[in-house]
Amino acid sequence: MSTQADGSLSGRRLLVGVTGGIAAYKSAHLVRLLRTAGAQVRVVMTAAAQSFITPLTLQALSGSPVRTRLLDPGAEAGMDHIELARWAERVLVAPASAHFLARLAQGLADDLLTTLCLASAAPLWVAPAMNQQMWRHPATQDNLALLRRRSVTILGPAEGEQACGESGPGRMLEPEAIIAALADGFRARTLEGCRVVLTAGPTREAIDPVRFVGNRSSGRMGYALAQALAGFGAAVELVSGPSGLEPPAGVTRVVVESALEMETAVMERIEGCDLFVAAAAVADYRPEQVAPAKIKKSEGVFTLRLVRNPDILARVSALPGGPFTVGFAAETERLEEQARAKLVGKGLDMIAANQVGGTEGGFEREDNALLVLWRGGQRLLPMAPKTEIAEQLARLIAEQYHAQATGQDP
Ligand code: C5P
């Protein structure tokens, strides 16, 4: 694992919270890996967590006494809870149960872990783990949206077989993935001072005042990428088509509807911008005429004449002295060949291609796999949640952007 090699977790002070869920058994492995990576680890367990794993196990693995109670005179005499909150450079709660997330969202401080989360100024990271129905429940999703707005980093969850016998989203990310994300969180802000314009989501091309031609893009990939790039220190302006998603913390968003509106919004912001990322699924065509009133149905065939929309990405990449450009390609066949042709044809610096149309990732899904190509190389980012893929892609973009700026291989 690179975390040890680059020392990014070495010496870091991590407060690991463990809440009550079957995934608590994985926190033993997580704590062990963190210690192996050189981190200093203090563990706090909720009452429910102790039904799944004992404090003694985590004490042995973390090398420090495990705290379980808020008002514990013995423990408070050592490092009191405010000191512990100040000591932590990161608070990581893994697994984070639905109940814990709800308490966190409410700002409760009814046990040691929730109190520490309130008392600590350190970034808070949570790795949710729960039954897929509990994960999907609007109450949980609302709590998560609130926590995201408060800049809590949500890691995962992964999708798949669950301990309860069901299948779906809600599995805790594997400890290795959590550690990789944590290490990234400590990375240098390599895009500090960089201005990024990023398009995301679908466009809607009006037919009449009530109808439009649209597509299935959810905007998830673009929003996750905006968040990841902002995490590297970039100033990100997100030009988004209609999407139900909340803008990521620290990202400026402008919402547009059609491709023409998106083009205008992009061109207004592109001057002096360092990176342009086109993650939007822009409609290639729009109705030639927009009917001023709702079109009435009649017998027989209705014909809609469509005209080409401008290619926003190609226009930006043709700008003299323009930004580093990153495009996306969704292809149903010959992925690499088509993506490379698009990279060259549109004059891009990088392209992220995904296979669509099968059972693979793509539109309307939580996870995705990408083949990323640039002139001098390529990398496959295997199937993972879109937030994780976005982190990896943002890192690649930053590497290649700097490599081009300095004329060196990263
Ligand atoms: O040519 P194709 O539509 O496959 O290219 C996809 C890439 O081009 C994506 O990055 C997309 O955001 C961008 N694009 C654009 N404007 C268009 C069509 C596509 O910016 N009108």
Side-chain angles (χ1 to χ4, degrees), residues 25-272:
Y25 81 92
K26 291 190 192 173
S27 35
H29 186 44
L30 175 69
V31 168
R32 187 170 160 66
L33 289 177
L34 287 171
R35 292 275 290 156
T36 310
Q40 300 179 52
V41 180
R42 297 287 180 130
V43 178
V44 172
M45 300 175 77
T46 62
Q50 296 164 63
S51 303
F52 293 93
I53 180 169
T54 70
L56 196 60
T57 304
L58 294 176
Q59 176 172 308
L61 293 170
S62 67
S64 295
V66 168
R67 299 281 307 263
T68 55
R69 288 197 300 134
L70 178 58
L71 303 172
D72 179 332
E76 289 286 303
M79 187 192 277
D80 76 32
H81 67 275
I82 296 297
E83 260 182 86
L84 187 55
R86 288 200 193 114
W87 170 87
E89 281 180 89
R90 284 281 185 290
V91 179
L92 166 68
V93 182
S97 64
H99 182 60
F100 171 77
L101 294 173
R103 290 193 296 142
L104 197 60
Q106 287 295 310
L108 298 185
D110 56 353
D111 68 358
L112 178 61
L113 185 56
T114 47
T115 303
L116 286 168
C117 289
L118 283 187
S120 179
L124 173 57
W125 293 48
V126 297
M130 65 198 73
N131 161 273
Q132 54 89 21
Q133 201 55 49
M134 292 172 78
W135 169 257
R136 291 186 215 268
H137 198 285
T140 304
Q141 289 302 317
D142 285 352
N143 288 334
L144 287 159
L146 182 58
L147 293 173
R148 273 192 201 99
R149 282 206 295 283
R150 289 187 197 146
S151 300
V152 175
T153 302
I154 318 284
L155 301 172
E159 198 160 327
E161 287 286 311
Q162 301 200 298
C164 54
E166 294 179 15
S167 181
R171 280 167 61 114
M172 187 173 94
L173 278 195
E174 291 307 320
E176 288 81 358
I178 293 177
I179 288 187
L182 258 187
D184 278 350
F186 282 113
R187 73 193 174 264
R189 287 166 65 85
T190 50
L191 291 178
E192 194 83 66
C194 242
R195 262 197 63 214
V196 178
V197 174
L198 185 149
T199 66
T203 63
R204 286 181 182 174
E205 309 299 325
I207 298 171
D208 68 17
V210 293
R211 304 182 180 95
F212 59 83
V213 179
N215 62 65
R216 295 185 192 279
S217 165
S218 64
R220 272 194 211 111
M221 190 63 217
Y223 275 57
L225 193 53
Q227 181 163 15
L229 290 165
F232 277 91
V236 183
E237 288 179 89
L238 170 62
V239 179
S240 172
S243 156
L245 300 174
E246 291 289 332
V251 167
T252 312
R253 179 175 69 166
V254 50
V255 178
V256 296
E257 190 158 300
S258 65
L260 290 178
E261 279 177 28
M262 186 172 274
E263 183 189 32
T264 305
V266 166
M267 296 319 288
E268 279 171 3
R269 288 166 177 77
I270 210 69
E271 206 187 315

Side-chain angles (χ1 to χ4, degrees), residues 188-383:
R189 287 166 65 85
T190 50
L191 291 178
E192 194 83 66
C194 242
R195 262 197 63 214
V196 178
V197 174
L198 185 149
T199 66
T203 63
R204 286 181 182 174
E205 309 299 325
I207 298 171
D208 68 17
V210 293
R211 304 182 180 95
F212 59 83
V213 179
N215 62 65
R216 295 185 192 279
S217 165
S218 64
R220 272 194 211 111
M221 190 63 217
Y223 275 57
L225 193 53
Q227 181 163 15
L229 290 165
F232 277 91
V236 183
E237 288 179 89
L238 170 62
V239 179
S240 172
S243 156
L245 300 174
E246 291 289 332
V251 167
T252 312
R253 179 175 69 166
V254 50
V255 178
V256 296
E257 190 158 300
S258 65
L260 290 178
E261 279 177 28
M262 186 172 274
E263 183 189 32
T264 305
V266 166
M267 296 319 288
E268 279 171 3
R269 288 166 177 77
I270 210 69
E271 206 187 315
C273 138
D274 304 289
L275 271 162
F276 176 65
V277 183
V282 186
D284 291 321
Y285 298 93
R286 67 179 182 276
E288 188 171 36
Q289 309 274 345
V290 182
K294 186 179 170 193
I295 300 169
K296 295 286 173 210
K297 61 175 157 303
S298 56
E299 293 307 317
V301 173
F302 173 74
T303 306
L304 190 60
R305 250 180 88 81
L306 301 174
V307 293
R308 278 297 298 267
N309 266 329
D311 190 315
I312 305 168
L313 177 57
R315 185 168 170 202
V316 171
S317 71
L319 289 173
F324 184 96
T325 49
V326 183
F328 276 76
E331 307 291 347
T332 51
E333 57 197 333
R334 293 182 291 122
L335 185 66
E336 184 177 339
E337 186 187 326
Q338 306 235 41
R340 201 160 280 284
K342 214 161 276 182
L343 178 78
V344 176
K346 294 199 191 201
L348 309 180
D349 296 298
M350 187 181 255
I351 194 155
N354 63 345
Q355 188 94 35
V356 289
T359 51
E360 299 297 301
F363 291 170
E364 292 185 310
R365 290 195 47 139
E366 294 282 353
D367 48 13
N368 205 3
L370 290 175
L371 176 67
V372 187
L373 308 173
W374 57 96
R375 274 158 210 267
Q378 66 181 64
R379 180 134 1 129
L380 180 68
L381 307 180
M383 188 67 76

Side-chain angles (χ1 to χ4, degrees), residues 374 399-410:
W374 57 96
E399 279 172 17
Q400 290 305 318
Y401 165 71
H402 286 301
Q404 194 184 78
T406 57
Q408 287 167 5
D409 276 341

